[in-house]
Amino acid sequence: MTSSRWSDLDRPPLNEAALRRAVVTPDSLWTALDVAEATGSTNSDLAALAAAGAAEGAVLVAEEQTAGRGRLDRRWSAPARSGLFFSVLLRPGDPAPARAGGGGPRDAVPVHRWGWLPLLAGVATATALSRAAGVDTALKWPNDLLVTVDGEERKAGGILAERTGQTGVVIGIGVNVSLRAAELPVPTAASLALAGAQGTDRDPLLRAVLRSLADWYDAWRAAGGDPAASRLQQTYAAGCATLGRQVRAELPGGRELSGTAVAVDGDGRLVIASPAGEHPVGAGDVIHLRPAR
């Protein structure tokens, strides 16, 4: 028998019309919101729309992704309607006009500061879900969302930012909401439900994340992309579970670096202190090491 949108009553479909009414308003960053029943990748779909001239603030949500991608081209898959899988289009390279409730006109953000966007999305998502779902969240550098299940840190979500054209960035966000233990793709994965969320209704969770993302993006743009002036750098550091930990960074080219994660610098890089000195890491896979017993 073919599965329908209502085949799992614990996972009702998103209310596209209600979400659009709540999110796409005259004073909002968000200019369009569409929900697809299934797609390969919301990032790929939205990048195609961006190339065709889509305006900043377009939001594309999928009830199911069949070819979702994470960092380092890892696959991301989950049962239909079990999480939030969506992408947003931002155009930090374009000057922004004044917006009702959103301050005055703003200049384009210099390209060298765009690297903060995935970290900004991580802060916005983590803070929104902490409030809306009542789940303690933390960030693993650069942009994994961590929750605690049975006393262990586990990954419940991730973020992927990809440049599109000269002025745009598509940010994809995936969060496991109602994933059950038997559905976990790997033992280190988790969901908000497994972490004790107060509720798993995805409509209010998505609205909360989008509003938080718009607030942080507005503040960052108003500061010209300056992570310190917008308080993004301080807030990220406060919520980053990587800082103060012993880590191993697996770097491009097969190199490795082990040491203590001591800071996130002004370019969004993780600074690792080793016996040879301090090393800023801008790309790579960071592994949290358990303390020696």
Side-chain angles (χ1 to χ4, degrees), residues 99-134:
R99 195 173 73 238
R106 293 159 294 178
D107 294 333
V109 176
V111 173
H112 73 271
R113 287 178 167 164
W114 294 12
W116 273 97
L117 281 171
L119 282 70
L120 181 154
V123 167
T125 303
T127 54
L129 294 178
S130 293
R131 292 192 299 265

Side-chain angles (χ1 to χ4, degrees), residues 228-246:
S230 61
R231 297 199 57 79
L232 175 58
Q233 186 174 3
Q234 303 93 308
T235 306
Y236 184 90
C240 182
T242 303
L243 294 182
R245 300 279 285 269
Q246 293 295 306

